[in-house]
Amino acid sequence: MALDNGNHPGTSLLTASRHEALAAASKSRYQQNGSSGAQRVDGFYAADVFNERVMRQRLPKDVFRRLMETIHLGKPLRAEIADVVAAAMKEWAIENGATHYTHWFMPLTGLTAEKHDSLTIPDGKGGTLSEFGGSALVSGEPDASSFPSGGLRATFEARGYTAWDPTSPAFLTRSDGTVTLCIPTAFVSWTGEALDKKTPLLRSMDAISHQAMRVLKLFGTDAGVSRVITTLGPEQEYFLVDRSLYFARPDLLLCERTLFGARPPKGQQLEDHYFGSISATVLAFMADVERELYRMGVPVKTRHNEVAPGQYEIAPVFETTNIACDHQMLVMETLKRVAPRHGLQALLHEKPFAGVNGSGKHNNWSLSTDTGVNLLDPREEAHTNMQFLVFLCAVIRAVDLHADLLRASIASASNDHRLGANEAPPAIISIFLGDMLTDIIDQLETGRTRRTIKGGALDLGARTLPQIPRDSGDRNRTSPFAFTGNKFEFRAVGSTQSSAWPNTVLNTIIAESLDFIATRLEKAVGARPTEAKLQNAVRSLLKEIVRRHKRVIFNGDGYSEKWHAEAAKRGLPNLKDTVEALPVLRTKKAVDLFKRYKVLSKAELESRADVFVEKFVKQVTIEAETMISMVRTMILPAALKHQTRLAQAVSAAADAGVSSPSQREMLEQFVDLVDDLREKTAALEEVTAHHDADPLRHARHIKTAVRPAMAAVRAVADELETQVASDLWPMPTYRDLLFIKG
Ligand code: ADP
Ligand code: MG
């Protein structure tokens, strides 16, 4: 089969043999190396963001001040103000080459959505007309009928509204010379129900702010503070594969993961890739990605190789959670968009390759006042130290009480391959605190402040509560939820996931704990609080919390069998997969929690549960169908060709008067294997065809019947891969995919 002219390497390779794909790969690499290299230009930092600096320059003083009050203090925005802001935004966008604008939002698909309208149109008299004013800035009405709503909105009632989120700066996207003004928005139905991931996130941030402020008031540390915000620094792991090879793998193309692939002799066992030097092609790609992200104001900072061959990480400096979530979506989109320019394909899937490390999105989370004080940063002074311990214990309590909900917040078909698979955090949610903090927590429980000096850092002398070293330096990669000095790192989040939902859950469960703590302390100290009263009240409350919830603390090896047994003994939930985890969203406990903090109504929560289950069913069904078609149209034909070769060799030998029982046996075994593949594939086809009107029942069927049938097909196909002649194997192998990259 002929290769195309190389402009789009690989697009004609869908049925090419492995060797043709490899040839195209080296060709495209050659072309890329000749022409690539990101050009750094001066002044690209945040050049495409309508941020505070630009607004200050372009808005009248009082308009700017009022807008800042909306952004920072949550004050409502008046229509006249919106008109002025819209005019300035439009002028700025057009000056920068924009022709269109879009309300940019995060529907429940987990992706972002946009519908473009032009900023100016010809007026028919030789001039231009613009309809972009305050009302177009503040709200839009995209046809929402095709977005999943989980039954919240019947398709015939297609109206959905987008509402400007002024706290997340508008930005420009550039694609082949087309510049578009993107306005971050929330997306709600005509009844006001949230149809997106951002609305509940913003509500959860309000909830936690309100409760955290009560705690600060008790400690008298609220002076000058008007809000407590949550911060997020998401680290994104991803794989890069050669784009031509990607096109030769229908499974990567359709499912973003390999459904077949025998393990190569060299995987990650040498651990020579982690933090290794970055190849020229990959570095050029990363620099290009960073340049684009900087233009849009995304503060990416770190880049390095990850554990598996072909795996990388990109991490930003943390920001306010809703902005960080928007930026996280831009990071994922930019990785995908830029890779083809470098002859690469970015795979964000949690588990593109079996037997090789998967990808996560480490969710670094903290709480901070709007004056910049990190509330999870231990301080020198005993007083604020006590406040730190209150926030710490609030997190411990929340994670223990709602471990099931946290687990559900990261459940997906793709993350199932990672969690609990002995190389990623287990599906059991526990907290890593490190020895030092655990020791302090123990002391809170016994009420005795021992003088435990570790590394000379603890001073428990005359103080009523222990001194805590600012950086204990402990690390534990096996924990799903780790305290890392001044923040928590939720490591079980999946790499393809939007950060918005797990953070919505985190904020809400911790808001509930802060509410519980504030209520108890307010009662204990009464109308005339004194320092002594507060200390006593805090001490006895924290003691109670630690007693009740310390079972969730675990500093050991989360990957070990022993931990699974120990966790079961402690009564910690172990929701092994999506099908076990998602029903948590339907429990009364979950419904009450979200309702109480006005984050999600019962209907809104149910709609999410529906959407997630449906997505699970669809995703695995697509995988199963892709698998069947790859067996039938690629693997079986190649295996039969190989079988013919073997048979011809055996009969040629017999014709020549040589009888080889061993070769005959090889042929017989091979034929058996091919028969086995046919049978297993037929079995998979049968279970995949099963349909159930009830999505959760269908999901259970997928778990108990479809996934095992897929595993059975794969086992035989992977065995065949090790036997079929390499020139006949119809697709690039793991070795090709993992090690060929510029
Ligand atoms: P690691 O060793 O886990 O890679 P880093 O220090 O590089 O740790 O930080 C990882 C991420 O944590 C970065 O995105 C960083 O901005 C973020 N981070 C640091 N402090 C905070 C905080 N207070 N709140 C949220 N995220 C934070
Ligand atoms: Mg980290």
Side-chain angles (χ1 to χ4, degrees):
M1 169 187 159
L3 299 172
D4 74 3
N5 60 17
N7 284 342
H8 299 284
T11 39
S12 63
L13 287 168
L14 294 180
T15 55
S17 76
R18 171 171 165 249
H19 279 216
E20 282 171 312
L22 292 180
S26 72
K27 187 170 153 197
S28 77
R29 255 197 334 284
Y30 172 76
Q31 287 169 341
Q32 277 305 329
N33 287 341
S35 66
S36 77
Q39 285 171 8
R40 291 222 162 214
V41 285
D42 285 340
F44 60 80
Y45 289 98
D48 288 344
V49 197
F50 195 69
N51 56 18
E52 275 191 37
R53 192 177 50 80
V54 179
M55 289 192 260
R56 191 189 291 278
Q57 284 165 358
R58 291 180 173 253
L59 294 174
K61 258 206 182 90
D62 66 313
V63 172
F64 176 76
R65 186 175 48 78
R66 294 209 182 179
L67 184 59
M68 289 306 117
E69 282 173 1
T70 298
I71 293 176
H72 298 298
L73 309 176
K75 291 199 179 166
L77 189 79
R78 298 228 307 267
E80 320 87 81
I81 304 287
D83 278 332
V84 182
V85 177
M89 194 187 278
K90 184 179 75 186
E91 198 178 273
W92 168 81
I94 290 174
E95 274 173 33
N96 282 286
T99 52
H100 288 65
Y101 74 95
T102 177
H103 277 193
W104 185 79
F105 57 101
M106 283 191 244
L108 296 178
T109 53
L111 306 170
T112 57
E114 41 195 82
K115 178 194 162 214
H116 296 195
D117 280 299
S118 53
L119 280 165
T120 50
I121 45 173
D123 65 359
K125 298 177 198 133
T128 55
L129 200 76
S130 175
E131 286 180 356
F132 184 78
S135 63
L137 166 67
V138 170
S139 74
E141 195 185 318
D143 175 3
S145 56
S146 305
F147 295 111
S149 70
L152 266 186
R153 175 183 29 72
T155 312
F156 60 82
E157 183 38 277
R159 252 178 299 161
Y161 295 94
T162 48
W164 180 34
D165 170 14
T167 62
S168 183
F171 57 92
L172 303 175
T173 55
R174 294 173 185 273
S175 168
D176 284 341
T178 305
V179 184
T180 309
L181 167 64
C182 293
I183 302 163
T185 54
F187 180 46
V188 295
S189 76
W190 66 282
T191 52
E193 280 159 326
L195 294 173
D196 67 347
K197 304 222 173 197
K198 173 173 265 195
T199 307
L201 176 68
L202 291 171
R203 292 176 187 160
S204 76
M205 289 174 69
D206 280 347
I208 198 167
S209 174
H210 179 71
Q211 303 303 338
M213 286 300 293
R214 288 172 65 197
V215 173
L216 296 190
K217 266 200 192 85
L218 278 159
F219 281 94
T221 49
D222 61 328
V225 178
S226 37
R227 267 181 84 78
V228 168
I229 52 173
T230 57
T231 50
L232 167 66
E235 303 165 58
Q236 174 77 44
E237 293 178 328
Y238 62 96
F239 279 83
L240 289 173
V241 295
D242 187 288
R243 191 155 161 88
S244 318
L245 302 183
Y246 165 79
F247 278 119
R249 297 271 323 205
D251 46 1
L252 282 183
L253 200 64
L254 296 178
C255 315
E256 224 186 67
R257 81 178 179 100
T258 54
L259 300 170
F260 302 100
R263 202 182 283 226
K266 181 184 174 200
Q268 65 196 51
Q269 57 282 67
L270 298 178
E271 298 189 337
D272 51 357
H273 190 254
Y274 191 51
F275 281 18
S277 68
I278 301 172
S279 81
T281 306
V282 173
L283 193 58
F285 157 75
M286 287 175 166
D288 207 359
V289 166
E290 284 162 13
R291 192 168 53 96
E292 297 234 339
L293 289 170
Y294 288 150
R295 282 198 77 99
M296 295 185 284
V298 182
V300 290
K301 174 186 82 153
T302 314
R303 57 182 176 206
H304 62 75
N305 286 359
E306 258 301 325
V307 179
Q311 193 186 25
Y312 306 88
E313 181 184 296
I314 181 168
V317 174
F318 68 93
E319 299 174 279
T320 303
T321 302
N322 67 314
I323 298 176
C325 285
D326 284 354
H327 283 170
Q328 213 313 285
M329 299 307 289
L330 289 179
V331 166
M332 292 199 285
E333 286 172 10
T334 306
L335 287 170
K336 288 253 170 208
R337 189 163 40 79
V338 171
R341 282 185 216 155
H342 298 265
L344 299 167
Q345 178 71 30
L347 304 174
L348 302 183
H349 194 282
E350 282 78 357
K351 196 76 180 171
F353 304 100
V356 173
N357 202 59
S359 296
K361 175 144 46 207
H362 295 176
N363 192 95
N364 293 279
W365 179 96
S366 192
L367 272 173
S368 142
T369 63
D370 61 353
T371 50
V373 178
N374 181 350
L375 299 172
L376 285 173
D377 197 351
R379 296 278 146 171
E380 311 287 321
E381 320 84 49
H383 187 75
T384 39
N385 209 345
M386 182 161 71
Q387 181 182 297
F388 161 76
L389 288 172
V390 164
F391 280 103
L392 185 78
C393 288
V395 176
I396 293 170
R397 179 179 177 277
V399 173
D400 183 40
L401 274 182
H402 300 289
D404 55 348
L405 201 50
L406 268 184
R407 169 66 186 90
S409 78
I410 49 162
S412 71
S414 46
N415 214 11
D416 278 354
H417 296 285
R418 182 173 158 260
L419 296 182
N422 260 2
E423 39 148 300
I428 307 163
I429 303 290
S430 64
I431 297 182
F432 169 83
L433 282 185
D435 293 342
M436 197 94 71
L437 270 189
T438 305
D439 193 34
I440 289 163
I441 290 292
D442 287 346
Q443 293 174 40
L444 285 177
E445 185 190 7
T446 55
R448 265 172 295 141
T449 48
R450 286 177 277 126
R451 182 184 275 274
T452 343
I453 297 182
K454 274 197 186 121
L458 276 181
D459 167 16
L460 303 180
R463 317 243 184 186
T464 45
L465 281 161
Q467 276 283 297
I468 300 156
R470 295 198 66 166
D471 184 14
S472 57
D474 284 325
R475 287 276 171 199
N476 179 338
R477 290 180 57 90
T478 67
S479 175
F481 202 92
F483 184 72
T484 51
N486 58 4
K487 61 186 190 291
F488 277 97
E489 186 171 346
F490 186 18
R491 298 209 181 97
V493 179
S495 51
T496 47
Q497 225 185 321
S498 147
S499 301
W501 178 232
N503 283 288
T504 302
V505 171
L506 257 179
N507 294 345
T508 311
I509 64 177
I510 295 166
E512 192 251 1
S513 267
L514 291 171
D515 181 8
F516 168 82
I517 288 172
T519 306
R520 288 280 297 268
L521 293 181
E522 281 161 2
K523 210 178 267 166
V525 300
R528 247 178 273 144
T530 63
E531 178 82 20
K533 266 197 210 167
L534 183 65
Q535 290 227 357
N536 281 336
V538 168
R539 221 144 15 139
S540 71
L541 180 58
L542 294 192
K543 183 173 174 171
E544 181 188 320
I545 290 178
V546 171
R547 267 214 183 138
R548 202 164 281 173
H549 302 289
K550 70 172 179 188
R551 63 176 189 163
V552 77
I553 299 168
F554 176 65
N555 294 326
D557 179 3
Y559 297 176
S560 70
E561 277 299 315
K562 239 172 67 193
W563 169 233
H564 285 234
E566 164 71 17
K569 229 191 292 164
R570 293 190 191 183
L572 300 180
N574 182 1
L575 303 168
K576 293 198 184 66
D577 54 33
T578 303
V579 177
E580 286 184 28
L582 285 182
V584 173
L585 299 179
R586 297 190 175 278
T587 56
K588 184 168 182 314
K589 189 180 103 180
V591 171
D592 290 348
L593 174 81
F594 286 113
K595 208 162 89 187
R596 180 151 171 214
Y597 295 95
K598 301 193 168 51
V599 173
L600 290 169
S601 68
K602 183 163 189 266
E604 286 172 326
L605 183 59
E606 271 172 2
S607 75
R608 275 146 189 86
D610 284 348
V611 169
F612 298 152
V613 172
E614 275 165 26
K615 189 170 169 189
F616 171 86
V617 169
K618 283 184 193 156
Q619 225 170 321
V620 185
T621 304
I622 290 171
E623 288 181 353
E625 286 173 0
T626 304
M627 199 166 205
I628 294 165
S629 111
M630 285 175 76
V631 168
R632 297 256 157 86
T633 63
M634 298 174 81
I635 297 176
L636 271 179
L640 289 174
K641 260 194 217 164
H642 184 77
Q643 180 181 307
T644 308
R645 265 195 208 172
L646 278 182
Q648 281 166 349
V650 169
S651 73
D655 288 351
V658 183
S659 120
S660 165
S662 153
Q663 286 186 15
R664 191 172 290 276
E665 193 187 327
M666 177 165 79
L667 175 61
E668 274 165 9
Q669 282 174 358
F670 190 83
V671 170
D672 284 349
L673 208 52
V674 175
D675 285 348
D676 199 17
L677 183 62
R678 264 178 54 87
E679 276 160 33
K680 299 259 155 68
T681 306
L684 174 61
E685 193 164 39
E686 200 182 314
V687 289
T688 306
H690 170 94
H691 185 79
D692 200 312
D694 175 40
L696 191 59
R697 251 193 348 238
H698 194 175
R700 280 198 203 103
H701 168 76
I702 284 191
K703 169 188 165 141
T704 52
V706 178
R707 277 186 157 169
M710 287 174 71
V713 169
R714 176 172 186 153
V716 185
D718 287 357
E719 176 59 30
L720 277 171
E721 185 189 316
T722 65
Q723 299 192 23
V724 170
S726 108
D727 64 315
L728 294 179
W729 193 249
M731 62 190 113
T733 64
Y734 269 28
R735 189 183 60 209
D736 308 332
L737 290 165
L738 288 170
F739 294 99
I740 297 182
K741 244 173 321 298

